[in-house]
Amino acid sequence: MNHYSNIIAEMRNDAADILYKALEAVEPGAAVKRYCRVDGDNLFIGERIYDLVKYKNLFLIGAGKATAPMAAAIEDILGKRVTSGIIIVKYGHVADLDRINLIEAGHPVPDENGQHGTEAILKLVRDAGKDDLVICLISGGGSALTPLPFHGLTLKDKQETIKVLLSCGATIHEINAIRKHTSMIKGGRLARAAYPATLVSLILSDVVGDDLDVIASGPTVPDSSTFSSCMKILQRYNILKKIPETVLNHIEAGASGKVPETPNTDDSAFDKTYNLIIGSNIESLMAAKQKAESLGYKVLVLSSMIEGETRDVAHVHGAIAREIIKTGNPLHPPACILSGGETTVTLTGKGLGGRNQEFALASAIDIAGKNEVVILSGGTDGNDGPTDAAGAFADNFTLKRAGEMGLDPYYFLLNNDSYHFFQKLGDLLMTGATNTNVMDLRIVLVK
Amino acid sequence: MNHYSNIIAEMRNDAADILYKALEAVEPGAAVKRYCRVDGDNLFIGERIYDLVKYKNLFLIGAGKATAPMAAAIEDILGKRVTSGIIIVKYGHVADLDRINLIEAGHPVPDENGQHGTEAILKLVRDAGKDDLVICLISGGGSALTPLPFHGLTLKDKQETIKVLLSCGATIHEINAIRKHTSMIKGGRLARAAYPATLVSLILSDVVGDDLDVIASGPTVPDSSTFSSCMKILQRYNILKKIPETVLNHIEAGASGKVPETPNTDDSAFDKTYNLIIGSNIESLMAAKQKAESLGYKVLVLSSMIEGETRDVAHVHGAIAREIIKTGNPLHPPACILSGGETTVTLTGKGLGGRNQEFALASAIDIAGKNEVVILSGGTDGNDGPTDAAGAFADNFTLKRAGEMGLDPYYFLLNNDSYHFFQKLGDLLMTGATNTNVMDLRIVLVK
């Protein structure tokens, strides 16, 4: 199947090597161990030191797809000092744990396992006293895995509300404001519940910009949104009558001060809370940069915060590649452009694909030609959209090879069917589940 | 109105200075003079030398919005050596010319003046003999200004065809393939008509990538598209029955060899033709780079070939600005990111605006915050969309100032009403008509 040149074959290997190095840097267990260590009775976490003698109990809690290896790392570091704990993970995302209760639950669609697990976590932190230390592990998926509706609301109410918000074009920030205000633990309410215990949150970021209050809807982080801002969101998208009445009543009640607000920065709970990001997209990009440089590329890290419609973002990357070829701007070849973040795909067809595969497909069209360009786009969780691929490779010969096989790239793009396009070409990136998630990585190599 | 800080005021001045320097570099007359000079009887054009003694007549022809100052420059350089000439410009885009007949015509909607002017140009070059030199001036708008339908077709036929193509989502390359195959002069047919005269084309590029065969539909450039590829385009977008029957019949006849093809690279006409780009987006970007560096910014020229949906392209630029602030990638502040090209706007509202103003509006949302960022996006022709503005300024305080005035940026963006948003803020960029056009420039300054 290798109709591409030796140079391209080598560049594809380079791209894969760069990607795997980037993934290594954000492996959840390694990330925990990079930021936490015990020396005698001192627990070093980031810039802080916790004297373990001072604490009666050390509880571990957490939620997110990557929290099993994170919890295993904590057990490695703290061993029997861990009193007990509960973490909630996505089905199958497990690890062997000694002292911590691992609960598997539904993701992305929340289920009862998640709800019961969250109730158990809430009970655990409420019972924790001022002489206890609670370590909280948070990663992507933590929001869906902790579905505990506020008193008077049901899981179904929340799900229907999110569905309406998703379909009306609300931003992730807006959706999270509503999530926080209909939840028992999100938007800092978990930190509030843990008070007066000491709380440390170790966070693997899966959101653009690494905003603490967005990751898993910020259960241990002050919330700047309010019931009033939630009302404005419902009004902005004209969905007051589309969401369940119970949810509307709850938000209206909150806006009139009849339901306690989510805690903001002034809340005393945050005096005893420390939130620390231990892994994020930019860290993986910097690891990728180092690897690419070692392979002889001049490297430009564009941004870890790339958002927007996938094919348009691909156009920008393609334009940079073509400028490198034509004028040596912004870098002379051999050049490597790296970017991260999470784009969106507006569906126009019914095919199979994901952000990364669609990025590769749109890029393939832009970089077709005689100059050597290889593009690899991959989801760091190993799971691009509803497919078993993490992403795909595109190069300057992709269109030519597709043409020889009778595949029309424009048709596949129009049908959002990037998976079948790259499957037929043998150009899917298959990493398997990586157990981490710091969004997507894009690698553009130009020789 | 200056609610922004002194630093921002200074950065806005810097951005304007950078933009004007970029415009200066592609002023059409200056561009001609940079590439053409006479020394004795030798006419130096780019890398070539033409011995003027050898030529009986020197004719000047041209079409495009910027060709009046280009023609004036040629008259300055060659004076009485110019036998005669005809150029077609957009209404009002005039200059004082001594020996050259200037015809004003319709743009972007072609009209009869354009048609008659093109007929006159065609007659002039057909009459030119093998000992004559024809200098042809081409700039953006040249395509609409030279509407001479192929025998048997009417202007209305062509216009309806383009309308169908525009509305079905065909690319500029696809539209141009059809344009060339329904025209008497496009797709190299002008060069064919001028043969055996010697032909020199001086081209100011207004298209992404500066492809010679795309600018003004390449009247003096070999055409790689064919009647058969035109048929495929009509089939791809399923518009065989939507375009006028005369046009379909013409293209079908061409595809069966019954109409002469546009000349390709093998055509002998191109042995006597020299095409030279004298101004383009990348040249203006490099001038902008020099100016920005002189103002103390570290500068990254991203690409002169940026295409895609405007707001998504803005997201990418915003993401780079935020990364500069957060991690110093790809540059440490004070940083300047420059890009060029031409984006598209998919209309969702009925407001007033243009690509550049919409870019600034979408950017304003992304860069809102406390760190100093200034973004200036401007069309090099001074005319952004159907407005009297060239573009607009956005900075990190734009959203705050808009909020104080009760303006909701999301609403204006949804309504494609960027003009009124920035008009109210006093943040429109008003350059007046510049008489040049090398697409758009975007300047992102971060301190």
Side-chain angles (χ1 to χ4, degrees):
Chain A
M1 293 283 289
N2 284 345
H3 292 303
Y4 39 87
S5 69
N6 286 340
I7 297 175
I8 291 294
E10 200 180 286
M11 289 169 73
R12 287 165 66 111
N13 280 339
D14 288 349
D17 286 351
I18 293 166
L19 185 93
Y20 279 102
K21 210 71 189 174
L23 291 179
E24 232 178 83
V26 289
E27 191 282 313
V32 166
K33 288 182 178 171
R34 206 159 47 230
Y35 284 92
C36 304
R37 64 186 175 90
V38 170
D39 190 353
D41 285 328
N42 284 329
L43 170 60
F44 293 81
I45 301 188
E47 295 163 348
R48 303 212 183 174
I49 306 170
Y50 297 86
D51 181 356
L52 293 172
V53 174
K54 285 191 185 165
Y55 297 102
K56 255 198 244 169
N57 299 294
L58 194 160
F59 298 115
L60 187 70
I61 58 171
K65 286 189 278 182
T67 48
M70 291 167 84
I74 292 288
E75 283 196 344
D76 271 0
I77 295 164
L78 286 161
K80 288 181 189 169
R81 297 190 193 246
V82 177
T83 311
S84 69
I86 304 164
I87 62 165
I88 310 174
V89 300
K90 180 174 175 171
Y91 289 107
H93 287 49
V94 300
D96 277 334
L97 299 174
D98 284 334
R99 312 178 74 81
I100 297 155
N101 183 13
L102 179 148
I103 295 171
E104 296 178 64
H107 179 281
V109 182
D111 66 7
E112 289 204 338
N113 272 13
Q115 183 163 352
H116 295 148
T118 312
E119 280 164 357
I121 285 176
L122 201 56
K123 182 172 182 325
L124 187 155
V125 300
R126 277 182 180 149
D127 290 346
K130 73 176 177 46
D131 298 325
D132 293 334
L133 176 63
V134 179
I135 296 179
C136 176
L137 307 174
I138 293 175
S139 76
S143 193
L145 292 168
T146 55
L148 191 58
F150 205 89
H151 303 303
L153 303 178
T154 66
L155 192 49
K156 203 167 154 247
D157 289 340
K158 280 200 71 173
Q159 286 166 345
E160 274 180 32
T161 306
I162 301 303
K163 210 166 143 188
V164 171
L165 284 160
L166 282 170
S167 68
C168 76
T171 67
I172 180 78
H173 290 84
E174 290 167 335
I175 294 173
N176 280 341
I178 308 279
R179 274 205 182 108
K180 290 173 182 180
H181 282 85
T182 50
S183 161
M184 291 295 286
I185 76 148
K186 286 160 192 172
R189 291 202 200 268
L190 181 67
R192 177 83 285 224
Y195 185 81
T198 298
L199 178 64
V200 178
S201 250
L202 303 179
I203 302 166
L204 193 66
S205 169
D206 73 328
V207 308
V208 169
D210 305 330
D211 293 337
L212 288 171
D213 71 318
V214 179
I215 306 161
S217 303
T220 61
V221 181
D223 181 24
S224 59
S225 70
T226 61
F227 277 110
S228 298
S229 54
C230 289
M231 278 305 293
K232 279 192 193 133
I233 294 163
L234 300 180
Q235 284 156 357
R236 175 175 302 149
Y237 294 100
N238 202 14
I239 51 173
L240 287 166
K241 289 183 179 160
K242 287 187 187 161
I243 62 165
E245 215 183 325
T246 50
V247 173
L248 179 62
N249 290 343
H250 168 71
I251 291 174
E252 280 180 335
S256 351
K258 291 172 194 157
V259 177
E261 255 302 349
T262 51
N264 62 25
T265 42
D266 296 334
D267 195 291
S268 51
F270 300 113
D271 299 342
K272 300 199 77 174
T273 302
Y274 176 42
N275 289 297
L276 179 68
I277 289 184
I278 60 163
S280 67
N281 191 270
I282 189 72
E283 291 197 32
S284 65
L285 286 176
M286 297 317 281
K289 181 181 191 227
Q290 208 175 2
K291 180 66 184 175
E293 281 171 347
S294 80
L295 292 169
Y297 294 91
K298 290 180 219 63
V299 183
L300 190 75
V301 174
L302 213 53
S303 175
S304 65
M305 298 181 239
I306 304 281
E307 295 175 285
E309 182 68 27
T310 303
R311 66 188 67 186
D312 297 290
V313 172
H315 287 324
V316 175
H317 286 69
I320 298 172
R322 285 157 59 210
E323 193 69 56
I324 290 171
I325 292 165
K326 200 169 177 193
T327 71
N329 284 293
L331 298 174
H332 283 278
C336 171
I337 304 291
L338 299 170
S339 83
E342 190 169 299
T343 60
T344 44
V345 172
T346 303
L347 293 178
T348 54
K350 293 182 173 173
L352 186 64
R355 297 183 299 272
N356 292 285
Q357 293 161 74
E358 179 143 325
F359 182 93
L361 177 51
S363 298
I365 296 170
D366 287 348
I367 61 169
K370 61 182 201 300
N371 287 87
E372 277 96 5
V373 182
V374 164
I375 290 182
L376 174 59
S377 183
T380 53
D381 61 355
N383 230 227
D384 189 35
T387 77
D388 58 359
F393 291 89
D395 63 60
N396 51 309
F397 295 129
T398 299
L399 246 59
K400 188 164 177 283
R401 290 191 292 127
E404 286 161 6
M405 295 173 71
L407 308 174
D408 178 354
Y410 296 94
Y411 172 80
F412 282 88
L413 188 58
L414 200 68
N415 202 28
N416 302 114
D417 202 17
S418 48
Y419 181 84
H420 291 123
F421 181 82
F422 287 113
Q423 190 185 40
K424 289 186 172 78
L425 284 169
D427 286 349
L428 290 170
L429 169 73
M430 308 294 277
T431 61
T434 62
N435 263 333
T436 192
N437 183 13
V438 294
M439 301 179 292
D440 302 330
L441 298 172
R442 298 167 217 100
I443 300 163
V444 180
L445 300 180
V446 185
K447 271 213 173 145
Chain B
M1 291 286 290
N2 284 345
H3 292 302
Y4 39 85
S5 68
N6 286 340
I7 297 174
I8 291 293
E10 201 180 286
M11 289 168 73
R12 288 165 66 110
N13 280 339
D14 288 349
D17 286 351
I18 293 166
L19 185 92
Y20 279 103
K21 210 70 190 177
L23 290 179
E24 233 178 83
V26 289
E27 192 281 315
V32 166
K33 288 181 178 171
R34 207 159 47 231
Y35 284 92
C36 304
R37 66 186 174 89
V38 169
D39 190 353
D41 286 327
N42 284 329
L43 169 61
F44 293 81
I45 300 188
E47 295 163 347
R48 303 210 184 175
I49 307 171
Y50 297 86
D51 181 355
L52 293 173
V53 174
K54 284 190 184 164
Y55 297 101
K56 256 198 244 168
N57 298 294
L58 195 162
F59 298 115
L60 187 70
I61 58 170
K65 288 189 278 182
T67 48
M70 291 167 84
I74 291 288
E75 284 196 343
D76 270 2
I77 296 164
L78 286 161
K80 290 181 188 168
R81 297 190 193 245
V82 177
T83 311
S84 68
I86 304 162
I87 62 166
I88 309 173
V89 301
K90 182 174 175 172
Y91 289 108
H93 287 50
V94 300
D96 277 334
L97 299 175
D98 284 335
R99 313 176 74 81
I100 297 155
N101 182 14
L102 181 148
I103 296 170
E104 296 180 62
H107 179 280
V109 182
D111 65 7
E112 289 205 339
N113 272 13
Q115 184 163 351
H116 295 149
T118 312
E119 280 164 358
I121 285 176
L122 201 56
K123 182 172 181 329
L124 188 154
V125 301
R126 277 181 181 152
D127 290 347
K130 72 175 179 41
D131 297 325
D132 293 336
L133 176 62
V134 179
I135 296 180
C136 177
L137 307 173
I138 293 175
S139 76
S143 193
L145 292 168
T146 54
L148 190 59
F150 205 90
H151 303 303
L153 304 178
T154 66
L155 193 48
K156 203 169 152 248
D157 289 339
K158 280 200 70 174
Q159 285 166 345
E160 275 179 33
T161 307
I162 302 303
K163 211 166 143 189
V164 172
L165 285 161
L166 282 171
S167 68
C168 76
T171 66
I172 180 78
H173 290 84
E174 290 167 335
I175 294 173
N176 280 341
I178 308 279
R179 274 203 182 108
K180 290 174 182 178
H181 282 86
T182 50
S183 160
M184 290 296 285
I185 77 148
K186 287 160 191 173
R189 291 201 201 268
L190 181 66
R192 178 85 285 235
Y195 186 82
T198 298
L199 178 63
V200 178
S201 250
L202 304 179
I203 302 166
L204 194 65
S205 169
D206 73 329
V207 308
V208 169
D210 304 332
D211 293 338
L212 287 171
D213 71 318
V214 179
I215 305 162
S217 305
T220 61
V221 181
D223 181 24
S224 58
S225 71
T226 61
F227 278 109
S228 299
S229 54
C230 290
M231 278 305 293
K232 279 191 194 132
I233 293 163
L234 301 180
Q235 285 156 356
R236 175 176 303 151
Y237 294 100
N238 202 15
I239 50 174
L240 287 166
K241 287 180 182 165
K242 287 186 186 159
I243 62 165
E245 214 182 324
T246 50
V247 173
L248 179 61
N249 291 343
H250 168 71
I251 291 174
E252 280 179 336
S256 349
K258 291 171 195 156
V259 177
E261 255 302 350
T262 52
N264 63 24
T265 42
D266 296 334
D267 196 290
S268 51
F270 300 113
D271 298 342
K272 298 199 79 175
T273 303
Y274 176 40
N275 289 296
L276 179 68
I277 290 184
I278 60 162
S280 67
N281 191 271
I282 189 73
E283 290 197 34
S284 65
L285 286 176
M286 297 318 280
K289 180 180 192 232
Q290 208 175 3
K291 180 66 185 172
E293 281 172 346
S294 80
L295 292 169
Y297 295 91
K298 289 179 219 66
V299 183
L300 190 75
V301 174
L302 211 53
S303 176
S304 65
M305 297 182 239
I306 304 281
E307 295 175 285
E309 182 67 28
T310 303
R311 66 189 66 188
D312 297 290
V313 172
H315 287 324
V316 175
H317 286 68
I320 298 172
R322 287 156 59 209
E323 192 69 55
I324 290 171
I325 291 165
K326 200 169 178 193
T327 71
N329 283 294
L331 298 174
H332 283 278
C336 171
I337 305 290
L338 298 170
S339 83
E342 190 169 299
T343 61
T344 44
V345 172
T346 304
L347 293 177
T348 54
K350 292 181 174 175
L352 187 63
R355 298 184 298 271
N356 292 284
Q357 294 161 73
E358 179 145 323
F359 182 92
L361 177 51
S363 298
I365 295 171
D366 287 347
I367 61 168
K370 61 182 202 298
N371 288 86
E372 276 97 5
V373 183
V374 164
I375 289 181
L376 174 60
S377 184
T380 53
D381 61 355
N383 231 227
D384 190 34
T387 76
D388 58 358
F393 291 89
D395 63 59
N396 51 308
F397 295 128
T398 299
L399 247 57
K400 188 163 177 285
R401 291 190 292 127
E404 286 162 8
M405 296 175 71
L407 308 173
D408 178 354
Y410 295 94
Y411 171 79
F412 281 88
L413 188 57
L414 201 67
N415 202 27
N416 302 114
D417 202 18
S418 47
Y419 181 84
H420 291 121
F421 181 82
F422 287 113
Q423 190 184 40
K424 288 184 173 78
L425 285 168
D427 286 349
L428 290 171
L429 170 73
M430 308 295 278
T431 61
T434 62
N435 263 332
T436 192
N437 183 14
V438 294
M439 302 179 291
D440 302 331
L441 298 172
R442 298 167 218 101
I443 300 162
V444 179
L445 301 180
V446 185
K447 269 211 174 144

